[in-house]
Amino acid sequence: MVIAERKPIEEILAMVADFKKVLLVGCKGCVTVCCAGGTKEVGILGSALRIARKKAGNPLALVEHTLERQCDPEYIEQLAPMLENGEFDAVLSMACSVGPQFIAKRYLKQVFPALNTTFIGGSLEHGVWAEFCQSCGNCIIHNFGGLCPISRCSKSLMNGPCGGSSGGKCEVSNEIDCVWQLIYDRMTALGQVDRMRKIFPIKDWSTSRDGGPRKITREDLKL
Amino acid sequence: MRLNYPPNVRIVAVPCTGRVDMIHLLRAIEQGADGVYVAGCMEGECHFVSGNLKARRRVEAVKKLLREIGIEPERVEMFNVSASDGPRFAAVAREMTERVRGLGPSPLAKDHPLDLHLQAVG
C-alpha cells in the first residue's frame, strides 16, 4: 500500500491560517490501513486544529468527512454538495497526494495536503512500516530470491553487495538490512546460490520515472 | 471508606483504559476541560494484559500533540491506580486538581474561567 504520515501540525496550521471554513477529507484506502488519514486520524487532526485555532482566538469551522477513496473520481464527486455551495473556503486532504490533486482537479477550491506521501511498503509490526517497492515498472524480484534490490538496496544495485555491507547491515544506517545479504542468505537456503554468479546488465529505467509520468490504459475495462 | 476527592472531577467509566483513544482525551480538551487524566490499573495487572500500557502510550502521544499546538501537555496525564486502592484514587484526584489549578483555566474555556473542570477516565 501507499504509506504516508501526517505533516507537522505547525505546517498544517500555517497552510490554513488564512481560512475560516475548512473541509477536512480523509480516505478509507491505504492511508486508513497505515493509520495516517482515515476516519480516526481525521478526528484527531480536526480536534487538534480546532483547539489550536480556538486558543489563538481565531476559531476554525472545520467539518470532517472521509471518502471511500480519493483516487477515483466517483468518490471525489460525493464532495459536490459540500464544495459547490460556498460553504467552505478550503479543503485539507488526508489522502496520499493523489487525493488533493483529484479534489483540486474537480473543484475550484484551494486544496492542501495534510500528509506526506512517503513510500510503497508494508507493515513490519503494528506501528512500523517499511519500503518494499519503488514502482520501477519492471519487476525483477524473482531473480533475487523474491527480494527487491531496487527499493531495498540504498544504491539500487543489480549486482551486489557493495563494500558498504557489514554484518548484514547497510553502511547508510544500522537500521537498514543489507538486502544483498538477505538475497544471499535466501538464495543459499533455496539451493540457488549459483544463480548469483549471473551478472545483470544495467537496468532499463524507461519503465520508471525516467519515461516521464506513467499511464495505464485498459481498453477491456473502459465503459 | 467515605474518602473525599475534589468535586470538580468528572468520571467517565470505560471497561479498560485500553479502550481510551487519543480522540477521547482531545475531545475533553476541545470541549473546555481544564485537564483530563486516565486512571488505569497498575502496570502488570491489566486484566487484558496490556490495556494500561497502551493507554500510557496514547496519553504520551496526546501530550506531544498538545505541545505542538501550544496547550500545556501537563493538562493530560496517565496514572496507575489499583482498583482496590481508594486512598490513591483520591490522592491522584487531588494531585491532578492541584496541578491543573496551578496551570489555570483552559484557554478554551473562556466562558467560565473561574470554574475548574477535570475529567478522569478509567
Side-chain angles (χ1 to χ4, degrees):
Chain A
M1 72 188 128
V2 172
I3 309 292
E5 60 182 348
R6 200 197 65 221
K7 283 177 173 288
I9 293 272
E10 196 178 2
E11 186 180 345
I12 299 171
L13 278 168
M15 284 175 179
V16 298
D18 296 333
F19 299 93
K20 298 274 188 197
K21 292 177 284 184
V22 171
L23 179 64
L24 176 59
V25 189
C27 177
K28 292 183 185 172
C30 310
V31 294
T32 288
V33 184
C34 72
C35 304
T39 306
K40 190 168 174 174
E41 293 74 29
V42 163
I44 290 169
L45 177 62
S47 182
L49 294 177
R50 281 190 295 265
I51 290 171
R53 286 285 291 266
K54 193 172 176 188
K55 178 176 183 266
N58 181 21
L60 177 67
L62 183 142
V63 171
E64 300 162 8
H65 188 83
T66 303
L67 294 174
E68 198 63 34
R69 284 195 295 281
Q70 290 192 31
C71 51
D72 275 317
E74 55 264 50
Y75 297 113
I76 298 296
E77 197 60 35
Q78 293 172 357
L79 297 176
M82 285 177 275
L83 292 180
E84 287 184 335
N85 61 5
E87 188 184 345
F88 297 99
D89 309 322
V91 182
L92 188 56
S93 168
M94 285 198 96
C96 72
S97 83
V98 177
Q101 293 184 63
F102 267 46
I103 295 171
K105 184 184 176 200
R106 171 65 180 81
Y107 305 101
L108 194 58
K109 291 278 178 196
Q110 182 81 51
V111 184
F112 298 102
L115 304 184
N116 288 325
T117 307
T118 320
F119 49 77
I120 300 174
S123 53
L124 302 181
E125 58 180 289
H126 251 296
V128 181
W129 296 271
E131 184 166 18
F132 283 85
C133 175
Q134 66 177 58
S135 65
C136 72
N138 185 15
C139 196
I140 48 161
I141 63 170
H142 54 290
N143 294 307
F144 308 105
L147 294 102
C148 175
I150 304 302
S151 61
R152 298 174 67 185
C153 167
S154 297
K155 295 175 176 172
S156 297
L157 290 179
M158 293 284 283
N159 299 282
C162 72
S165 176
S166 174
K169 296 294 178 183
C170 173
E171 66 179 339
V172 169
S173 163
N174 275 340
E175 302 253 309
I176 302 172
D177 289 328
C178 171
V179 79
W180 277 100
Q181 178 73 54
L182 298 177
I183 290 168
Y184 177 80
D185 292 346
R186 181 155 172 83
M187 295 294 262
T188 302
L190 289 170
Q192 298 176 3
V193 76
D194 283 352
R195 290 181 62 193
M196 290 189 75
R197 294 182 189 281
K198 182 179 175 185
I199 304 297
F200 286 87
I202 295 169
K203 184 171 171 63
D204 175 3
W205 289 98
S206 64
T207 55
S208 184
R209 284 283 307 157
D210 290 17
R214 292 165 284 181
K215 185 177 180 181
I216 293 173
T217 302
R218 288 269 307 269
E219 293 297 339
D220 56 318
L221 294 176
K222 279 187 159 186
L223 298 176
Chain B
M1 281 187 277
R2 296 191 179 277
L3 294 166
N4 289 322
Y5 65 91
N8 48 258
V9 177
R10 178 183 163 197
I11 295 175
V12 179
V14 288
C16 168
T17 50
R19 176 65 185 89
V20 179
D21 207 341
M22 285 178 70
I23 192 65
H24 299 132
L25 308 178
L26 284 171
R27 284 259 190 273
I29 295 294
E30 187 183 343
Q31 290 171 15
D34 297 317
V36 52
Y37 65 98
V38 180
C41 297
M42 301 304 286
E43 293 193 359
E45 293 180 8
C46 177
H47 181 72
F48 303 102
V49 183
S50 59
N52 49 359
L53 304 179
K54 287 171 180 156
R56 180 170 291 279
R57 289 202 291 267
R58 290 166 194 162
V59 167
E60 289 305 319
V62 171
K63 280 171 167 283
K64 181 169 177 284
L65 191 59
L66 290 179
R67 196 176 290 117
E68 286 172 6
I69 57 177
I71 303 285
E72 301 94 334
E74 297 81 11
R75 291 187 185 278
V76 175
E77 198 53 85
M78 173 79 197
F79 292 97
N80 294 103
V81 185
S82 171
S84 60
D85 193 352
R88 174 154 168 78
F89 178 86
V92 162
R94 282 194 296 274
E95 178 188 335
M96 192 63 186
T97 299
E98 286 311 309
R99 180 198 293 192
V100 172
R101 205 180 292 281
L103 291 168
S106 163
L108 277 74
K110 287 173 181 155
D111 299 339
H112 39 80
L114 296 177
D115 293 341
L116 188 67
H117 295 84
L118 263 181
Q119 291 204 351
V121 179

